[in-house]
Amino acid sequence: MINRVHIACVDGESDDSAIADIFRQKFSNVDNSDGTGSNTGLDSNVPWSLMSDFDKWLLTVEDVDKAVFTKLKRGKASGCDDLAPEHLVYSHPSLILHLKRLFNLMLKHGYAPDKFDVGIIVPLVKDRYGDVNCSDNYRAITISSVISKVFEICVYDKLQPFLEVDDLQYGFKHGCGCNTAVFTLQHVVKYYNSRHSNVYMSTIDASKAFDRINHQKLVDKLVQRQVPKCFLSVIVNWYSKLYSCVRWNGVLSSSFKVECGVRQGGILSPVMFNIYVNDLIGKLRDTNVGCYISSIFIGCIMYADDLILLSPTVIGMQHMLDVCTAYGHAYDIKFNAKKCMYMLVGKRFLPDNNIVLLIDGDVISYVTEFKYLGVSFTAGKELDIDVSYMKRRFY
């Protein structure tokens, strides 16, 4: 059964097909006119040195069984194949054996089935108190094939040793979350203020960060991590032929090719994003500026694409902003200076500040209050935190 929405008009259109096409244009329009984020010409020639010990990476019945009955989330919508998680959970036990054979053939031949490549985008209202008749008040979630999700769960379990990221990345990691990131931020600032030192805090906004990932550069990072070739080949094939369409009131728009970005709704997508931006944390650490506690660098805190920089000096802050700019140029990440801001906490706090900080050549605003991960931070001689409106985090 199709869940119908009760919104009669979007951007002046009332026809479901026209509305679906509006969202198709919106969600397919990632600013990538220079082609730097395109997967055109994605290199499938993964080094053969990563092909060793192929047999040990083959999936077992136990791997698939665990993915279906323990880790696959139920109650989710069906994808383009009209299969829901419950179809697998309540199927005949022999299905697990067939899925195992399918997945191992995929690994052997480096090929993802065509149904794995199609995602159905469903627009969801961002702010229910805002204008629900405006397409800008909608975000996209993508529904993928349930069998592809099972495969991704199996791959994720197998590749755990290759997917580790920096301790300062708190997003999409077991045992970490918004609370941990906020706790770390609060205590770093308190540590410096208690020693009569100021702390400059800058929030960095990356425009459509998940949608702008360059597929070839992502594969290069996976190669550097020595991810086995059998998995790399499937990922390369998979990402080279991604398509999506928009569903509105049961009406599907025409499909469009996904040239860049991680697969929304994919189990591996958050992990892939973490890997893509992980080296930025290392480059910030290598600057030898920013905040430290007992020689441990805590000059940045990252939750997925939400980045905050911490430095006791203006010079150090600008240096880290320059590192972010350089990384953005190298990896097709665009920072929105209008949404970036900084504030000062400590004994030299002033309501107004004439210090100029730049990111990618644009000035970022000085503020006395901002929100990070849904928590309100207010500057002063000490940092004031209000967690009463802390929001839940969704991908």
Side-chain angles (χ1 to χ4, degrees):
M1 179 180 294
I2 299 297
N3 292 325
R4 307 189 70 84
V5 295
H6 302 285
I7 298 170
C9 177
V10 174
D11 289 356
E13 295 286 351
S14 57
D15 180 72
D16 288 339
S17 297
I19 294 174
D21 191 59
I22 287 173
F23 285 115
R24 177 195 180 279
Q25 295 294 330
K26 180 179 181 63
F27 297 142
S28 64
N29 186 28
V30 176
D31 182 12
N32 197 32
S33 57
D34 58 359
T36 53
S38 172
N39 63 10
T40 303
L42 191 60
D43 184 9
S44 60
N45 294 318
V46 181
W48 283 103
S49 59
L50 303 183
M51 190 64 179
S52 59
D53 300 327
F54 171 76
D55 289 343
K56 79 175 184 179
W57 300 111
L58 293 177
L59 302 177
T60 65
V61 171
E62 289 75 16
D63 294 329
V64 181
D65 185 84
K66 181 179 179 182
V68 172
F69 293 103
T70 304
K71 297 190 174 183
L72 184 64
K73 293 183 179 180
R74 307 182 190 185
K76 299 296 182 179
S78 58
C80 61
D81 53 9
D82 291 326
L83 292 178
E86 287 75 13
H87 285 104
L88 305 188
V89 172
Y90 300 112
S91 65
H92 191 278
S94 64
L95 177 66
I96 301 300
L97 178 61
H98 293 299
L99 289 178
K100 184 212 73 167
R101 290 173 175 169
L102 169 65
F103 296 161
N104 284 336
L105 284 171
M106 291 170 56
L107 294 175
K108 181 178 180 180
H109 296 286
Y111 182 84
D114 292 342
K115 287 293 185 181
F116 280 30
D117 309 328
V118 181
I120 297 177
I121 297 175
V122 179
L124 292 183
V125 175
K126 292 179 183 177
D127 180 6
R128 61 192 179 96
Y129 298 108
D131 184 3
V132 296
N133 300 122
C134 177
S135 62
D136 291 336
N137 192 29
Y138 287 79
R139 62 184 177 91
I141 64 166
T142 303
I143 303 172
S144 304
S145 160
V146 67
I147 296 179
S148 73
K149 291 182 179 180
V150 175
F151 177 69
E152 287 188 271
I153 293 172
C154 294
V155 171
Y156 178 78
D157 290 342
K158 281 286 188 180
L159 295 184
Q160 278 293 332
F162 302 95
L163 305 179
E164 296 180 359
V165 293
D166 199 285
D167 289 341
L168 293 176
Q169 170 62 269
Y170 294 92
F172 310 122
K173 291 170 66 176
H174 180 70
C176 293
C178 295
N179 292 339
T180 313
V182 171
F183 176 85
T184 303
L185 173 60
Q186 180 182 11
H187 282 269
V188 170
V189 176
K190 183 177 180 181
Y191 176 87
Y192 272 79
N193 290 165
S194 66
R195 288 157 177 77
H196 309 291
S197 175
N198 301 308
V199 176
Y200 290 87
M201 306 167 56
S202 293
T203 60
I204 309 302
D205 180 82
S207 301
K208 298 182 179 179
F210 286 86
D211 297 330
R212 291 189 52 81
I213 287 182
N214 183 302
H215 292 168
Q216 183 60 60
K217 292 176 181 179
L218 173 61
V219 171
D220 292 341
K221 288 182 177 292
L222 294 175
V223 170
Q224 293 170 9
R225 288 170 171 259
Q226 297 292 297
V227 172
K229 185 182 188 301
C230 54
F231 294 103
L232 277 173
S233 297
V234 174
I235 292 171
V236 168
N237 179 263
W238 201 341
Y239 272 73
S240 67
K241 54 181 184 178
L242 294 178
Y243 284 87
S244 288
C245 61
V246 175
R247 183 168 69 196
W248 180 267
N249 269 347
V251 176
L252 295 177
S253 72
S254 58
S255 61
F256 60 90
K257 189 170 178 59
V258 179
E259 295 284 358
C260 55
V262 292
R263 298 174 55 255
Q264 291 191 37
I267 305 298
L268 287 174
S269 296
V271 181
M272 294 296 181
F273 180 82
N274 278 356
I275 290 173
Y276 194 77
V277 299
N278 187 64
D279 289 340
L280 174 58
I281 300 176
K283 291 183 180 297
L284 290 170
R285 181 181 285 108
D286 291 342
T287 61
N288 295 318
V289 298
C291 290
Y292 282 78
I293 295 181
S294 300
S295 74
I296 299 175
F297 174 76
I298 317 182
C300 71
I301 294 173
M302 203 166 192
Y303 188 97
D305 60 334
D306 289 321
L307 173 64
I308 189 164
L309 305 178
L310 304 169
S311 173
T313 66
V314 174
I315 295 176
M317 178 58 70
Q318 185 58 64
H319 192 175
M320 290 196 291
L321 288 169
D322 291 341
V323 168
C324 291
T325 296
Y327 195 87
H329 289 171
Y331 292 99
D332 310 319
I333 299 172
K334 289 190 175 183
F335 296 106
N336 185 355
K338 294 181 179 179
K339 293 185 178 181
C340 297
M341 57 196 72
Y342 81 96
M343 70 183 187
L344 170 64
V345 180
K347 61 181 181 180
R348 295 184 182 177
F349 165 77
L350 293 172
D352 299 306
N353 197 317
N354 58 3
I355 294 173
V356 176
L357 290 173
L358 306 173
I359 187 164
D360 204 5
D362 295 321
V363 177
I364 64 177
S365 303
Y366 175 77
V367 298
T368 58
E369 181 179 358
F370 63 66
K371 280 190 176 183
Y372 179 69
L373 303 180
V375 177
S376 294
F377 296 90
T378 304
K381 302 298 182 182
E382 297 180 347
L383 183 65
D384 182 63
I385 298 179
D386 180 6
V387 299
S388 60
Y389 297 103
M390 188 171 185
K391 64 183 178 181
R392 296 180 62 186
R393 302 293 295 173
F394 291 98
Y395 172 65

